[in-house]
Amino acid sequence: KDIFRNPESIFRFFEPTTGSTASNKDIIDITLGNKQRWGPGDAPFNLVLSHSGSDFAVMGMHFKLGLYEHQSAGALQGVVNAVLGNPDLLSAGPAGVKGIEITAYEPAYGIIGDPAKKDPQTRQSADHSMAFIVSRMLLKAFKTDAANLSDNNAAWKSLMLSPYDYGHEALWDKDTREMMQKISFKHGGPEFDAKYPDGIPTAMDISLESGKTISSGLVMYPSGHARDTAADLKGILHHKAQLLGGIAIEQDEFSGFHSRLTNMIDASAGDMQSIYSFDYNKLVSHPPIDG
């Protein structure tokens, strides 16, 4: 279950997982009329509070390598896997793609894989549409020189999604909308569901008009995931910072700003007083991306 939206989550603490009783007035007041939402029983997962050690939940989390919904990371790694070493896919171009089947777990399948999201109307709905997100990255691959797709690290940097991939122009891009209609979703069932949240289990099959099918294979730990050990995470995140920060601040000014943050561990108390300072005259002006 998606604990961030599920009423059983710790984030819904004030609506307890156990049904309240008439003897507990505080809970009755909180739950607005003693609604027994889940019946008796403990919360569905344990919470362990700690002040020491290294086994923290955050150590198993995921860095987004660009702008996309977390649960689409496996599908985006699927795009990268499919692009690398498959010149037939790149030479086919958008018109050469017959269909794309994405197999995912719940809750990704039911939330960002919802077929209704193949027609996003706003930036907010686009960034929670796996069809839109995958389409934007794949279309970037078709427009990228093969030399910049030499390996996994280079591909993530070259295909990285930015705010412009969710702006008005991108949202109504003809090629993007045509590609979305070629995408279908499949629930991986208990086998996939059991692998989340340990990983982000996803598989992608791209069928070409030539009859060839290119498969990503099962993606469990996409680049950026704490359990992935193959990607140059620091290098890709540095590129992400330059890409996004460079939109707001001139590159030379941003480089110094970013360097201070990445070296914060060595900063003195005095350094911390101005660590977020930069020359406001170096801000970059842009027309609104939403049109």
Side-chain angles (χ1 to χ4, degrees):
K1 294 180 178 180
D2 181 359
I3 66 168
F4 294 101
R5 295 177 177 82
N6 194 290
E8 294 171 344
S9 167
I10 181 59
F11 298 102
R12 297 289 297 277
F13 176 76
F14 292 108
E15 294 189 32
T17 58
T18 55
S20 58
T21 65
S23 62
N24 193 332
K25 185 178 183 301
D26 290 337
I27 293 182
I28 292 174
D29 290 344
I30 291 171
T31 56
L32 303 178
N34 191 22
K35 295 178 181 177
Q36 289 205 1
R37 299 171 188 267
W38 307 281
D42 295 329
F45 36 69
N46 295 324
L47 293 176
V48 180
L49 304 180
S50 177
H51 57 74
S52 61
S54 60
D55 187 19
F56 297 105
V58 70
M59 302 303 290
M61 297 304 287
H62 164 246
F63 284 102
K64 295 182 182 180
L65 306 184
L67 300 186
Y68 51 84
E69 208 281 339
H70 157 75
Q71 296 178 89
S72 66
L76 294 185
Q77 185 67 60
V79 171
V80 171
N81 290 357
V83 166
L84 294 177
N86 284 298
D88 289 352
L89 173 58
L90 295 178
S91 62
V97 175
K98 183 177 182 180
I100 302 173
E101 182 179 73
I102 301 173
T103 304
Y105 62 96
E106 284 287 12
Y109 172 75
I111 299 176
I112 62 173
D114 182 352
K117 295 187 176 179
K118 290 164 69 173
D119 183 28
Q121 300 293 306
T122 64
R123 169 169 46 86
Q124 290 80 359
S125 56
D127 69 16
H128 272 65
S129 164
M130 192 187 298
F132 183 88
I133 296 167
V134 167
S135 295
R136 291 300 298 176
M137 180 176 263
L138 184 56
L139 288 170
K140 277 195 168 188
F142 290 133
K143 298 176 182 177
T144 300
D145 190 297
N148 295 321
L149 302 173
S150 57
D151 58 30
N152 183 75
N153 298 323
W156 271 104
K157 293 175 184 178
S158 297
L159 306 180
M160 190 171 287
L161 300 177
S162 79
Y164 290 103
D165 287 291
Y166 300 93
H168 184 271
E169 183 177 337
L171 181 63
W172 299 105
D173 177 67
K174 179 176 177 290
D175 291 339
T176 301
R177 291 197 162 262
E178 289 179 353
M179 188 63 70
M180 280 194 287
Q181 299 313 309
K182 298 180 180 183
I183 295 178
S184 61
F185 296 97
K186 177 182 176 182
H187 179 212
E191 179 185 357
F192 273 57
D193 294 350
K195 290 178 170 62
Y196 176 80
D198 176 67
I200 309 178
T202 314
M204 177 182 294
D205 292 317
I206 302 177
S207 301
L208 303 182
E209 292 288 354
S210 66
K212 182 176 182 177
T213 298
I214 297 172
S215 298
S216 69
L218 174 64
V219 175
M220 268 292 286
Y221 308 124
S223 298
H225 195 284
R227 293 183 178 88
D228 171 66
T229 59
D232 174 19
L233 183 58
K234 287 186 177 180
I236 300 173
L237 288 176
H238 179 80
H239 177 82
K240 174 185 176 181
Q242 297 296 318
L243 175 69
L244 301 183
I247 294 174
I249 309 172
E250 291 180 12
Q251 279 291 351
D252 288 346
E253 181 72 11
F254 177 76
S255 293
F257 175 78
H258 182 232
S259 178
R260 292 197 299 276
L261 294 178
T262 55
N263 293 297
M264 186 185 294
I265 191 171
D266 297 320
S268 66
D271 293 334
M272 292 300 296
Q273 296 296 315
S274 59
I275 197 162
Y276 291 114
S277 298
F278 64 91
D279 185 351
Y280 278 71
N281 292 317
K282 299 296 180 66
L283 286 172
V284 180
S285 178
H286 299 279
I289 66 169
D290 288 331

